[in-house]
Amino acid sequence: MDIDQPEVVGFFDRKTFSVQYVCIDPATDRCAIIDPVLDYDENAAHTRTDSADAIIAFISRRGLTVDWILDTHPHADHLSAAIYLQQRFDAPRAIGRQVVEVQKLWKDIYNFGDDFHADGRQWDRLFDDGDRFEIGRMQAGVMFSPGHTLASITYVVGDAAFVHDTLFMPDFGTARADFPGGDAATLYRSIQQILALPDDTRLFTGHDYMPGGREPRWQSTVAEQRANNPHLQNMNERAYVELRKRRDAELPLPALMLAALQINIRGGRLPTPEANGTAYLKIPLNAF
């Protein structure tokens, strides 16, 4: 049986080191947008749509039709542009079902009231592990890949897998696991599931931190990760957990985390403006 080979176009956001994707079925010119970024200037508390507008312009130039707007998990390092893009393309938004666990956790952290529903209703579809869906005529599948977060999933579309924070490029390593709900042992097991895909599976990561000052990159293969990723060499689960805990203890929290998560657990929807017409973020003091 022939394996679908989607065209994958990445859009790199240098501020947050994030990679957004358009995954295209060449046979139908239908596509999915994966992990889009809403630009945010934390100094001025101002949002912009430059990154999302670049995706819109690309889709328009190519004459593509958007079937899905997908997130791999609720992001801690950038705001999601999913709502903005849905308003433009009228495509369903989706994420993994375990997002409800992330919502429950962060609802308590933010002390959100009863008007915040931690049941995933903010999305059009919640994917379960093993679910199948279509992008054009291409078959796509969902792998539950927790560890970095409680809700992380991998989208597998033909010979392409969108792994976001689970695996970085082979010269950098793997995701942190110290956020609320994260777990290094669970992350190790999720990585092993991804590495069980065929060796030539193209892996598309959600961030690139450009080690050594090289240009940004975001595509590798299962074989390249096995051979070259420094966090995967001669590493059993116990050794990986020890490595991950040492590394995570040295990392600062993402600069946008407390702003981003209260937007992203709402599916990318900004807070409702108050009586004066201005929307406000809520930041928990001394919680971390």
Side-chain angles (χ1 to χ4, degrees):
M1 183 177 67
D2 291 337
I3 297 177
D4 291 324
Q5 293 185 313
E7 178 186 354
V8 179
V9 180
F11 297 78
F12 186 66
D13 174 43
R14 286 185 177 270
K15 177 176 180 179
T16 63
F17 307 100
S18 300
V19 191
Q20 314 151 85
Y21 293 102
V22 178
C23 178
I24 306 164
D25 175 13
T28 64
D29 285 336
R30 304 188 75 89
C31 69
I33 301 168
I34 303 174
D35 291 323
V37 171
L38 181 69
D39 304 295
Y40 180 65
D41 177 352
E42 65 271 30
N43 294 323
H46 187 79
T47 60
R48 302 187 322 279
T49 59
D50 302 13
S51 293
D53 288 338
I55 292 174
I56 291 171
F58 170 78
I59 288 171
S60 178
R61 287 195 307 271
R62 290 284 301 269
L64 304 175
T65 300
V66 179
D67 282 347
W68 293 95
I69 301 167
L70 307 172
D71 273 303
T72 52
H73 66 291
H75 306 281
D77 38 31
H78 71 259
L79 279 62
S80 172
I83 292 285
Y84 176 73
L85 289 166
Q86 185 177 50
Q87 291 169 344
R88 172 64 174 79
F89 294 116
D90 193 28
R93 293 175 295 109
I95 199 167
R97 184 173 302 279
Q98 295 302 314
V99 71
V100 300
E101 301 304 324
V102 179
Q103 288 181 313
K104 292 172 185 175
L105 191 159
W106 284 89
K107 179 177 181 176
D108 287 343
I109 291 172
Y110 288 118
N111 196 33
F112 285 161
D114 291 340
D115 58 338
F116 177 79
H117 300 283
D119 58 7
R121 68 178 65 183
Q122 297 83 358
W123 286 267
D124 301 298
R125 180 166 174 182
L126 300 180
F127 287 123
D128 289 306
D129 185 38
D131 274 356
R132 307 289 295 176
F133 63 101
E134 292 183 343
I135 302 170
R137 291 201 294 265
M138 297 187 303
Q139 289 293 310
V142 176
M143 293 174 57
F144 185 38
S145 305
H148 173 62
T149 75
L150 286 165
S152 299
I153 60 176
T154 294
Y155 294 106
V156 181
V157 188
D159 74 336
F162 298 88
V163 301
H164 208 269
D165 288 353
T166 307
L167 286 165
F168 296 127
M169 292 301 295
D171 60 350
F172 192 77
T174 60
R176 66 193 297 170
D178 61 330
F179 293 157
D183 182 78
T186 302
L187 178 59
Y188 177 85
R189 293 191 288 271
S190 292
I191 290 170
Q192 299 312 306
Q193 286 186 306
I194 292 169
L195 295 180
L197 293 168
D199 281 355
D200 59 353
T201 301
R202 293 179 291 159
L203 302 181
F204 294 94
T205 190
H207 291 287
D208 186 60
Y209 297 100
M210 300 175 286
R214 64 158 171 73
E215 285 300 302
R217 291 163 37 202
W218 46 80
Q219 178 179 334
S220 61
T221 66
V222 167
E224 289 169 345
Q225 290 283 351
R226 282 190 176 281
N228 300 314
N229 191 307
H231 292 180
L232 304 178
Q233 307 307 306
N234 302 312
M235 197 74 64
N236 60 24
E237 183 176 313
R238 180 176 178 178
Y240 179 81
V241 169
E242 292 175 354
L243 177 149
R244 192 66 267 165
K245 287 183 176 179
R246 288 195 305 272
R247 174 64 175 146
D248 290 350
E250 301 170 351
L251 298 175
L253 290 177
L256 301 186
M257 184 178 82
L258 295 178
L261 276 166
Q262 63 190 286
I263 305 300
N264 295 341
I265 62 172
R266 294 184 174 105
R269 193 175 304 279
L270 298 178
T272 302
E274 298 188 9
N276 63 355
T278 299
Y280 292 86
L281 294 174
K282 187 175 184 180
I283 303 297
L285 294 178
N286 303 317
F288 292 92

